[in-house]
């Protein structure tokens, strides 16, 4: 079978670095029109921001806080064919400061209602080749299912209540297949894996299927009727994305995590113990051992750790900050430009 590198116009993930100018700023070079853009100022303590095409430009959530959705006219103002446009807001575009943006391609645009579940989504934008979809839905307050549009079961889902109506804003909810359907994590906290009582309150003790994910009545996924939620769903694709877990060994020769491709972006988190969500990519520094990271659960500026090797088929941490002995870690990893065969299926590294 012949393999070719995906053209930039059909890439599905890319890290784009840029410098703020405090005015209208058209960021190009992403390689495609993003449907989800995650931004972080690298040099100062500002909250992360996640934008997506389903909710529309100017609307964002902070992954490091439980706060509800914000709408700011001078934030990210447009998704474009090769990137996005920013206004003057300092959190996205502070003059003279450097930023990182992580960009994913879903279905290109807002999408349409998905009717596969007991809750019809308001909009679902899905990319079945890349295994990424975004669904917006309205809570019923009862056990339910929601369509994700991927055609295969997602391995990881990020949930956020956008407009909690009856009480304070709620933390992010995270499903990860390595934890099963009775445990969850919270993106905006350092807490270890958790369970509700009863366990069915979160995912109704049911794993995602090829068409729907299940939700209970916990306020992070499906609270009061009328609340609006966003769900970012990630399915595993050979040669492009991987979701799993590993055991730390506490050594400078850390555990090797096989992905089958050269990662361009990695998030890790200890699921068994308290720890931050560690985010690294192949653009900030961009060579092995010395890598910069930010924490998804904190507004801190980036740090010149951890020590990390990114190789052709996986990654290995070279310090103990994300490799402590006796701790279990979950991860998500993406390639930038995978090889795709003539059957349109990404191949593993060779």
């Amino acid at each position: 079978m012949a393999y070719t590198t995906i053209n930039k116009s059909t890439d599905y993930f890319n890290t784009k670095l840029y410098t703020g100018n405090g005015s209208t700023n058209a960021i190009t070079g992403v390689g495609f029109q993003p449907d989800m853009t995650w931004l972080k100022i690298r040099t100062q303590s500002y909250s992360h921001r996640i934008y997506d095409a389903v909710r529309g430009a100017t609307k964002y959530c902070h992954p490091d806080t439980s706060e509800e959705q914000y709408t700011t006219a001078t934030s990210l103002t447009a998704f474009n064919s090769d990137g996005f446009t920013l206004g003057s807001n300092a959190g996205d575009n502070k003059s003279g400061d450097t930023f990182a943006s992580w960009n994913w391609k879903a279905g290109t645009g807002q999408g349409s209602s998905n009717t596969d579940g007991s809750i019809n989504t308001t909009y679902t934008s899905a990319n079945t080749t890349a295994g990424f979809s975004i669904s917006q839905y309205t809570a019923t307050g009862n056990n339910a299912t929601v369509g994700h549009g991927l055609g295969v079961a997602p391995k990881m889902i990020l949930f956020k209540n956008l407009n909690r109506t009856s009480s304070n804003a709620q933390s992010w909810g995270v499903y990860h297949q390595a934890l099963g359907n009775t445990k969850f994590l919270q993106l905006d906290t350092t807490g270890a894996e958790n369970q509700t009582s009863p366990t069915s309150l979160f995912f109704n003790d049911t794993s995602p299927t090829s068409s729907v994910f299940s939700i209970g009545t916990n306020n992070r996924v499906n609270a009061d009727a009328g609340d609006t939620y966003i769900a970012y769903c990630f399915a595993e694709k050979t040669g492009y994305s991987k979701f799993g877990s590993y055991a730390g060994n506490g050594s400078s020769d850390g555990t090797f995590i096989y992905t089958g491709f050269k990662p361009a972006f990695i998030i890790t988190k200890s699921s068994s113990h308290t720890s931050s969500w560690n985010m690294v990519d192949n653009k900030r520094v961009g060579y092995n051992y010395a890598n910069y990271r930010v924490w998804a659960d904190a507004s801190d500026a980036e740090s010149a750790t951890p020590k990390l090797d990114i190789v052709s088929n996986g990654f290995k941490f070279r310090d103990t900050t994300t490799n402590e002995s006796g701790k279990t870690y979950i991860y998500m990893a993406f390639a930038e430009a995978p090889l795709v065969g003539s059957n349109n299926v990404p191949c593993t590294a060779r």
Side-chain angles (χ1 to χ4, degrees):
M1 180 182 295
Y3 294 97
T4 57
T5 301
I6 292 177
N7 293 328
K8 270 295 180 184
S9 62
T10 54
D11 278 355
Y12 307 126
F13 171 81
N14 198 6
T15 299
K16 175 63 181 177
L17 308 181
Y18 65 92
T19 301
N21 66 7
S23 184
T24 301
N25 196 357
I27 308 302
T28 60
V30 171
F32 55 88
Q33 180 169 320
D35 294 298
M36 173 179 166
T37 295
W38 183 330
L39 303 177
K40 177 69 178 81
I41 189 169
R42 301 170 61 190
T43 47
Q44 298 195 41
S45 180
Y46 280 71
S47 281
H48 299 244
R49 295 182 176 193
I50 293 181
Y51 297 86
D52 64 70
V54 168
R55 291 178 295 139
T58 73
K59 296 179 174 64
Y60 59 90
C61 293
H62 297 305
D64 53 305
T65 78
S66 63
E67 295 170 3
E68 298 174 350
Q69 173 178 274
Y70 286 84
T71 301
T72 303
T74 56
S75 60
L76 186 150
T77 59
F79 294 101
N80 306 321
S81 61
D82 189 33
F84 49 90
T85 300
L86 302 170
S88 60
N89 190 273
D92 310 288
N93 190 29
K94 191 171 187 295
S95 182
D97 281 280
T98 57
F99 291 76
S101 73
W102 302 281
N103 302 274
W104 285 263
K105 183 179 179 63
T108 308
Q110 194 170 57
S112 58
S113 177
N114 180 298
T115 60
D116 290 339
S118 61
I119 296 176
N120 294 339
T121 67
T122 309
Y123 302 105
T124 294
S125 178
N127 184 336
T128 57
T129 302
F132 174 55
S133 71
I134 308 168
S135 286
Q136 180 178 313
Y137 62 94
T138 301
T140 62
N142 300 307
N143 293 339
T145 58
V146 180
H148 53 69
L150 292 176
V152 295
K155 299 285 190 179
M156 187 169 180
I157 308 175
L158 308 179
F159 296 89
K160 185 67 182 79
N161 185 314
L162 301 177
N163 62 338
R164 182 78 169 128
T165 55
S166 65
S167 65
N168 294 331
Q170 297 297 324
S171 286
W172 291 71
V174 180
Y175 166 84
H176 195 287
Q177 58 89 22
L179 304 181
N181 57 39
T182 63
K183 297 179 181 180
F184 65 93
L185 291 166
Q186 298 178 138
L187 184 63
D188 54 301
T189 78
T190 61
E193 63 192 40
N194 206 342
Q195 287 183 311
T196 57
S197 180
T199 58
S200 59
L201 289 178
F202 224 92
F203 306 120
N204 202 23
D205 292 346
T206 305
S207 298
T209 71
S210 61
S211 58
V212 299
F213 56 82
S214 294
I215 48 178
T217 57
N218 185 273
N219 51 31
R220 296 167 186 81
V221 294
N222 182 28
D224 297 327
D227 283 5
T228 302
Y229 287 80
I230 199 77
Y232 302 109
C233 300
F234 301 91
E236 195 167 278
K237 293 294 180 176
T238 301
Y240 168 67
S241 60
K242 189 76 173 176
F243 307 85
S245 64
Y246 65 93
N249 65 10
S251 169
S252 59
D253 184 17
T255 303
F256 175 71
I257 297 90
Y258 176 81
T259 59
F261 54 84
K262 186 174 184 178
F265 176 75
I266 304 163
I267 295 182
T268 61
K269 165 79 174 79
S270 174
S271 56
S272 60
H273 294 74
T274 298
S275 80
S276 284
W277 293 79
N278 179 67
M279 300 174 64
V280 296
D281 58 63
N282 64 345
K283 297 291 179 66
R284 293 174 296 141
V285 178
Y287 55 85
N288 280 338
Y289 199 72
N291 283 272
Y292 288 131
R293 72 171 171 195
V294 291
W295 294 272
D297 56 277
S299 61
D300 302 23
E302 69 181 9
S303 167
T305 55
K307 299 177 176 68
L308 169 70
D309 285 344
I310 296 175
V311 297
S312 65
N313 58 356
F315 61 96
K316 175 188 287 194
F317 286 100
R318 294 286 189 175
D319 64 9
T320 60
T321 58
T322 48
N323 181 44
E324 292 188 57
S325 180
K327 293 188 177 182
T328 300
Y329 296 82
I330 56 98
Y331 70 87
M332 62 188 304
F334 294 89
E336 185 171 280
L339 298 178
V340 171
S342 55
N343 60 355
N344 201 36
V345 175
C347 71
T348 56
R350 292 181 295 171

